[in-house]
Every structure is written in structure tokens, then in C-alpha cells.
Amino acid sequence: MTHSTSVHPTTVATQHPYVLERAFNTFDAEAVDRLYEPDALFVPRPGHPTTGPGRIPAHRDFLALRVPIRVTPRHTYVSGDLALLIVDWVVAGRAAHGEQVRIAGTATDIARRGSDGFWRYVVDNPFGTADGPERTGRPTPTEVGPTDSAAGPT
């Protein structure tokens, strides 16, 4: 499957998931990453976020299957220059290693319109509310923030 790697961001928030679909289906991690702000957060597996340069290897891992994605946006809520995107997606087909794969989820994403007018991801959470790694016990203070009311910003 050969696709153009010339995929550009959109000025229309409701089109952003479709632009991601086109970029993903080029199987080019850099083309996908151009749809993110420089410090944007990507969660390739529940509970395992990555930012900045760490996104490229995470995209490559997903794209290595060489199976196209199909997106079905559910909701797009825009407030000023921010958009909440709820998107069903599926990656299904015969992978590069020869086996059938099916990975699906409902993404909970946040995009921001930049000063250039184009929408880019700030948070891309493809598995939405899916459970992350198993946890035992109570969360640590760093997971929930300061508990001392006298504690100020650091």
C-alpha cells in the first residue's frame, strides 16, 4: 500500500481525526507527528504516556503493523482554540508479520488551534478510559498532587 506522505493539518476541528487517519495510513511516523504540538502528550498504551521526541518511536511501534486505521468521530466540542475529540477507531487487517490483527478503541483527545490556524493534538489518548497497569494500594502523593494545604507551587 503506497500513500502520499504529504498530509497537512486542518483549519477545521471536526476534520482533525480524518487528517490523522490519512497521516497514519502513510505509515510514516514523522507525518503523523506533524499533527501534534511539540510538547503534546501521546498515550500509546493505557497508563504509559509519552511526550515530545518520545512520540516518534511510539508512533513507529504502532505503524510497524502496516495496517490502516479507520476513524469514526463521535463528538467534537470546540471552545475557543481548544477542541475535545471523541473518536472511535479500528486498526484491522493482515499485519506485516502475516497475522490478522484487530486493535480498536475510543479516543479521548484534545486539540488546539495554533496561531497559524491549524489544529494539532495537545493530548492524544487513543484508548480513552481503558484501564492502565494494575495498581495496588493507595495512590502516591505525586499521583494525586500535594495534600498539604500550605504547600504552594514549586
Side-chain angles (χ1 to χ4, degrees), residues 50-103:
T50 187
T51 61
R55 287 190 315 264
I56 296 283
H59 292 315
R60 282 190 185 123
D61 288 347
F62 224 126
L63 297 170
L65 293 171
R66 306 222 27 107
V67 178
I69 193 170
R70 296 293 172 248
V71 300
T72 306
R74 272 196 214 188
H75 305 286
T76 301
Y77 300 109
V78 177
S79 178
D81 290 334
L82 292 175
L84 173 63
L85 308 165
I86 310 297
V87 181
D88 295 323
W89 59 271
V90 63
V91 172
R94 186 165 308 281
H97 54 66
E99 293 183 27
Q100 286 292 127
V101 298
R102 185 177 195 291
I103 307 167

Side-chain angles (χ1 to χ4, degrees), residues 6-63:
S6 179
V7 177
H8 302 285
T10 181
T11 58
V12 181
T14 56
Q15 293 301 305
H16 191 61
Y18 296 112
V19 173
L20 175 73
E21 178 182 79
R22 286 194 301 278
F24 185 101
N25 291 342
T26 68
F27 306 117
D28 178 346
E30 286 80 14
V32 171
D33 205 63
R34 284 192 287 275
L35 302 178
Y36 292 74
E37 289 191 349
D39 293 327
L41 179 84
F42 175 52
V43 187
R45 292 181 303 144
H48 297 276
T50 187
T51 61
R55 287 190 315 264
I56 296 283
H59 292 315
R60 282 190 185 123
D61 288 347
F62 224 126
L63 297 170

